[in-house]
Amino acid sequence: MFSPHIHLSNNANIPRVGVGVASVENPEYLVYQALKNGIRLIDTASIYKKDREVGNAINKAISDGITTRDEIFLVSKLWVHEKDDPLKALERQLKELGLNYVDLYLDHWPMQVFTRDGQLVKVPTHIVWKAMENLVERGMSKAIGIANYNVQRIMDLLSYAEISPSVLQVEVNPYFHQSSLINYCRSNNIAVMGYNSLCNAKYIYKFQPDFSLNLFEEPLIKALAEKYQKTPAQVILNWAVSQDIVVIPGTSHPWRIFENLDVLSFRLTNEELTKLKSLDRNMRCNDSTKWGFFEGIDFFA
Ligand SMILES: NC(=O)c1ccc[n+]([C@@H]2O[C@H](COP(=O)([O-])OP(=O)(O)OC[C@H]3O[C@@H](n4cnc5c(N)ncnc54)[C@H](OP(=O)(O)O)[C@@H]3O)[C@@H](O)[C@H]2O)c1
């Protein structure tokens, strides 16, 4: 029903459905099973601290003849505390991954000030971006992109970028459509990758114990699941895919990989997509202001 890929500004093709490892409990097993069962897009990040396991799984899948490095699209991210030296950060990550390059390297959070060893470190985005462009020139990343940027920040970045961001990764789900941001990206040839597309209960309950919404229980989602004989999760992911948003739902359960890949097999009608607009609350499920992130950014140190 859907083509399996989206074409990026660096001429690479990114799969529409992948798996993110942030909240995955068994990353080596899960990534290997994902590759074995047809997933070719893996989303990781330095801050997840899972590079060794992710790399082991990828290298094992390649040596077992399941896939090739060319077929895999590996995304990783530069964490805030290493913004002053993206080259060193990616060199370290590649060593841990046991790989020569990533397909996409994202600036994980647009935070330009952090503390290290009690010292305040300030790195403006134009400096970070120049260093990230250098990673492409060195062949360490095929493309570069951004995560958690808003329109204003992207506009600023585009005013000086010599290599434009190929992808923006942000929270997108039926409670948080982000329509203006997505339209802006579309008109600037930046593909959108959605995270928390299902609203990750585990994550949310840890930081936001008062969060009580459940997308899976929304009557409209349930009715569409019934109509198409799919699960609520598949309807939600299909809604995102219908807008050319790449999805990377995390799961610790390999059987859900089939379910999540199968979202490419049906199409919601335009009328149904319009009805789903009624769920938009313009509200983040994953609200970083609740993490203590902005009071003391050493939360993730
Ligand atoms: N750039 C950023 O700042 C940022 C922030 C957050 C996340 N991310 C990336 O986005 C990825 C996805 O986000 P996420 O994992 O936090 O949230 P998510 O995709 O909204 O949710 C994943 C949750 O949904 C469950 N799930 C997955 N597939 C399912 C299915 N078919 N049916 C029912 N439940 C299903 C999983 O539970 P089970 O494990 O029980 O299956 C897991 O708890 C992350 O792994 C990470 O790579 C990036």
Side-chain angles (χ1 to χ4, degrees), residues 20 22 43 148 169 196 198 200 248 250-253 256 259-260:
D43 183 82
N148 303 302
Q169 188 180 101
N196 284 132
L198 300 171
N200 181 347
I248 44 168
T251 179
S252 295
H253 301 107
R256 287 196 168 136
E259 187 178 326
N260 295 347

Side-chain angles (χ1 to χ4, degrees), residues 120-283:
L120 210 57
V121 185
K122 300 179 184 180
V123 197
T125 303
H126 68 95
I127 307 267
V128 178
W129 196 252
K130 190 93 218 134
M132 287 182 61
E133 289 175 334
N134 181 252
L135 302 177
V136 176
E137 282 146 20
R138 286 170 177 260
M140 292 166 67
S141 185
K142 301 274 182 202
I144 45 178
I146 48 188
N148 303 302
Y149 276 50
N150 63 12
V151 169
Q152 292 86 338
R153 281 191 173 268
I154 301 173
M155 239 181 228
D156 180 54
L157 175 62
L158 294 181
S159 72
Y160 53 78
E162 286 176 26
I163 300 177
S164 290
S166 294
V167 168
L168 167 72
Q169 188 180 101
V170 277
E171 175 175 337
V172 186
N173 55 58
Y175 288 143
F176 193 46
H177 287 220
Q178 301 246 52
S179 306
S180 321
L181 178 58
I182 289 169
N183 287 338
Y184 180 78
C185 287
R186 254 188 219 129
S187 58
N188 284 283
N189 201 14
I190 301 169
V192 176
M193 188 183 290
Y195 72 70
N196 284 132
S197 21
L198 300 171
C199 288
N200 181 347
K202 278 187 216 158
Y203 211 56
I204 288 159
Y205 294 148
K206 185 171 161 199
F207 294 108
Q208 298 165 229
D210 52 343
F211 191 89
S212 58
L213 294 171
N214 185 347
L215 261 181
F216 294 170
E217 291 300 326
E218 286 292 343
L220 181 53
I221 305 266
K222 283 169 82 172
L224 291 169
E226 177 81 24
K227 174 182 166 186
Y228 289 98
Q229 292 293 293
K230 301 288 175 188
T231 64
Q234 288 176 311
V235 170
I236 297 162
L237 296 173
N238 187 282
W239 164 85
V241 166
S242 301
Q243 301 169 73
D244 283 341
I245 295 168
V246 173
V247 291
I248 44 168
T251 179
S252 295
H253 301 107
W255 67 85
R256 287 196 168 136
I257 289 160
F258 296 108
E259 187 178 326
N260 295 347
L261 260 182
D262 183 55
V263 305
L264 301 179
S265 71
F266 69 108
R267 257 186 204 277
L268 298 170
T269 65
N270 286 340
E271 199 189 357
E272 288 160 351
L273 291 170
T274 305
K275 273 192 190 161
L276 282 163
K277 285 186 181 162
S278 66
L279 295 183
D280 190 6
R281 292 168 177 251
N282 194 23
M283 186 204 76

